[in-house]
Amino acid sequence: MSGGVPPDDGEEELFGDDEYEVAFGEKLAETLDLNRWSTGLDLDRVMARFRREIASAVTKEDRLRGLVRSELFPRLPGRSRTFPEAGVYHVTPEELNLVHERLLFQGRVDAVASSSVSHDSIPIGISQIGVAVVGYGGTSGAFSQRLYRKEVAQRSGDGLKEAMDYIDMRQNRFKDRHDSQSRLARRGIRAYGERAALLNKSSAEWRMGMNNPCSHELLTGSGYMSLLEKSIDVLNKIINEHKKFVFVSNTLQDRGFLTMGLALDAGEFVLLETLENDGKHVVDGWQYGDRSKALARDFVRKSCPQVVKGLFRVSDHSLPRMFYAHRELVHEAVRVAMADSVLRQERGFPMLLDVADMSCRAAFGEDGFQGLIQDAYAHAGANFQYFSERGPRR
């Protein structure tokens, strides 16, 4: 029987209701009571609740900002013997203007961005990865790679068995470890392509990229030894040979650090730590083979201490941004990122990275990709029966 029957003594009860009440301020049963739901939009009540909740959150955040500035920031210098440079620094508008005149607008900075689009149907899956390298002097290059998912069933001369093999393979594809690994590989190839293009396809003095240069996909090789070897080779050259790089995050990950960033005033940046601990955490948590684990550990030990993680803020009206740069050149690197970000103070993010992203999407975006796919289906006489009318619910 279902409903209303208490669990047996040996059966574990579900959990999470208490955590829900703490997070949302009401019991889950109250949320699920449809009689408590608004009828239609009920705009007046919705707006009143929005204003009340947002005002409360902003007040709490202002108090937290004051605590971070008064209590936490003064303790950063000297907090770590391995990174005594930690602390808050200030950049003047004059310094940023010099970066505009001598580096950015002279074409001495290149930025890289990538895009990824996919088509997945019953007979085939195709993924396209595009990378663009752009400076204020123009585009240095645009590159793309396409991956084709191919299903192969065992041919045994038994038509029924072959058909059932295909059906079983497709039914269980998204549960299969190898398919998950393939999706991870696509992310790894995209991350590798960005860094390889910055290293090998740009001649600019300074190179700019998005997010953590030593990303999880690259430090693990996404499960592929060849990708791990190639990634570590490229990262070693960027970090230990070129050195003049800065990567800026465009996501809200590391929200704890970003909370610290909201305590920064416009024109300030804070140096937090090196990537050594982050790298160790990734390597310790991943299952490698002996040779690949030794390779990853050696890279983390030698190169990750040379990369600094920090935060900058160019405007009181924009979010702080996480950045990564070489330890020896971090003060020059963050000024490059801040000078480019101050051009759009409301966004507070390097304009050159946005330009690279738009250039990449224009060259390798969804519309052009889907047009090519539809043309190929039409030539195959398949028309539109393999196109999903709607995507999955989100």
Side-chain angles (χ1 to χ4, degrees):
M1 293 178 63
S2 63
V5 179
D8 295 336
D9 291 340
E11 183 179 336
E12 293 185 8
E13 294 187 17
L14 297 178
F15 61 93
D17 285 25
D18 291 342
E19 289 84 351
Y20 181 91
E21 185 173 357
V22 170
F24 293 98
E26 65 180 20
K27 295 181 181 297
L28 180 56
E30 295 173 349
T31 302
L32 299 178
D33 182 0
L34 205 61
N35 292 323
R36 294 169 53 91
W37 290 30
S38 301
T39 303
L41 184 57
D42 197 6
L43 189 59
D44 290 340
R45 287 184 60 191
V46 170
M47 288 300 300
R49 181 71 183 271
F50 279 7
R51 289 169 180 168
R52 185 168 66 251
E53 296 292 347
I54 289 174
S56 173
V58 169
T59 299
K60 181 190 71 174
E61 203 65 33
D62 286 343
R63 179 177 179 275
L64 179 57
R65 183 180 190 274
L67 290 174
V68 172
R69 287 196 70 85
S70 63
E71 302 295 332
L72 183 57
F73 281 171
R75 290 175 167 81
L76 287 177
R79 179 176 62 93
S80 169
R81 286 179 295 176
T82 60
F83 188 57
E85 305 99 308
V88 179
Y89 301 84
H90 184 76
V91 179
T92 67
E94 292 76 19
E95 290 176 298
L96 299 183
N97 285 335
L98 284 176
V99 175
H100 291 150
E101 296 169 5
R102 297 178 180 178
L103 291 176
L104 284 167
F105 300 152
Q106 293 295 321
R108 294 167 63 189
V109 182
D110 271 352
V112 67
S114 66
S115 66
S116 178
V117 292
S118 295
H119 165 76
D120 192 39
S121 67
I122 293 175
I124 192 170
I126 304 174
S127 296
Q128 176 177 275
I129 298 168
V131 177
V133 182
V134 175
Y136 283 117
T139 301
S140 298
F143 316 92
S144 63
Q145 179 63 279
R146 290 160 193 88
L147 311 175
Y148 301 86
R149 190 198 79 236
K150 300 176 181 178
E151 296 172 340
V152 180
Q154 188 69 33
R155 293 194 177 188
S156 60
D158 185 338
L160 175 62
K161 183 179 184 305
E162 184 176 348
M164 293 304 298
D165 284 346
Y166 271 111
I167 291 170
D168 184 65
M169 184 190 310
R170 291 171 176 176
Q171 180 69 16
N172 295 298
R173 185 164 67 84
F174 289 106
K175 304 175 186 177
D176 185 69
R177 173 182 176 273
H178 295 292
D179 192 72
S180 298
Q181 197 82 336
S182 296
R183 293 196 296 273
L184 184 60
R186 289 197 293 270
R187 294 197 296 269
I189 292 168
R190 178 179 177 179
Y192 167 80
E194 291 178 351
R195 288 143 184 83
L198 266 189
L199 178 67
N200 299 313
K201 302 300 182 180
S202 169
S203 58
E205 178 182 352
W206 281 90
R207 320 283 169 88
M208 189 184 299
M210 287 192 192
N211 301 320
N212 187 338
C214 306
S215 67
H216 181 278
E217 294 88 352
L218 299 182
L219 287 187
T220 62
S222 302
Y224 297 91
M225 186 65 192
S226 296
L227 181 55
L228 177 65
E229 290 176 337
K230 288 281 191 180
S231 298
I232 286 180
D233 179 60
V234 164
L235 289 174
N236 270 324
K237 289 176 180 175
I238 291 174
I239 294 169
N240 300 313
E241 296 179 18
H242 186 75
K243 297 185 180 181
K244 291 187 176 184
F245 64 87
V246 60
F247 283 69
V248 183
S249 177
N250 67 339
T251 69
L252 286 178
Q253 294 177 347
D254 288 322
R255 291 187 177 218
F257 284 131
L258 288 173
T259 299
M260 295 175 63
L262 283 171
L264 294 171
D265 287 335
E268 288 183 336
F269 68 93
V270 58
L271 303 184
L272 299 168
E273 61 187 14
T274 72
L275 288 187
E276 185 174 13
N277 287 334
D278 285 358
K280 287 179 178 178
H281 179 73
V282 171
V283 173
D284 290 343
W286 187 261
Q287 292 185 349
Y288 298 86
D290 291 341
R291 187 164 70 91
S292 56
K293 195 174 190 73
L295 183 64
R297 281 194 183 278
D298 186 62
F299 170 79
V300 168
R301 180 175 59 86
K302 293 179 179 178
S303 296
C304 284
Q306 304 308 314
V307 183
V308 173
K309 176 195 295 185
L311 293 152
F312 69 80
R313 199 175 187 195
V314 298
S315 168
D316 292 330
H317 306 292
S318 63
L319 286 170
R321 298 293 178 176
M322 186 80 72
F323 73 92
Y324 307 84
H326 195 280
R327 189 170 183 170
E328 294 176 9
L329 301 170
V330 63
H331 290 274
E332 295 92 328
V334 70
R335 283 164 170 78
V336 170
M338 292 177 73
D340 202 27
S341 300
V342 81
L343 297 174
R344 292 177 63 194
Q345 293 193 21
E346 76 286 354
R347 177 155 160 74
F349 186 74
M351 181 180 284
L352 200 52
L353 284 174
D354 278 340
V355 172
D357 182 63
M358 288 186 288
S359 298
C360 189
R361 293 180 187 280
F364 308 114
E366 182 80 22
D367 290 344
F369 174 74
Q370 292 298 340
L372 294 174
I373 294 290
Q374 291 177 14
D375 177 76
Y377 273 109
H379 275 76
N383 295 320
F384 298 107
Q385 67 257 41
Y386 294 116
F387 284 82
S388 174
E389 186 176 345
R390 296 181 63 184
R393 288 179 56 180
R394 298 186 184 277

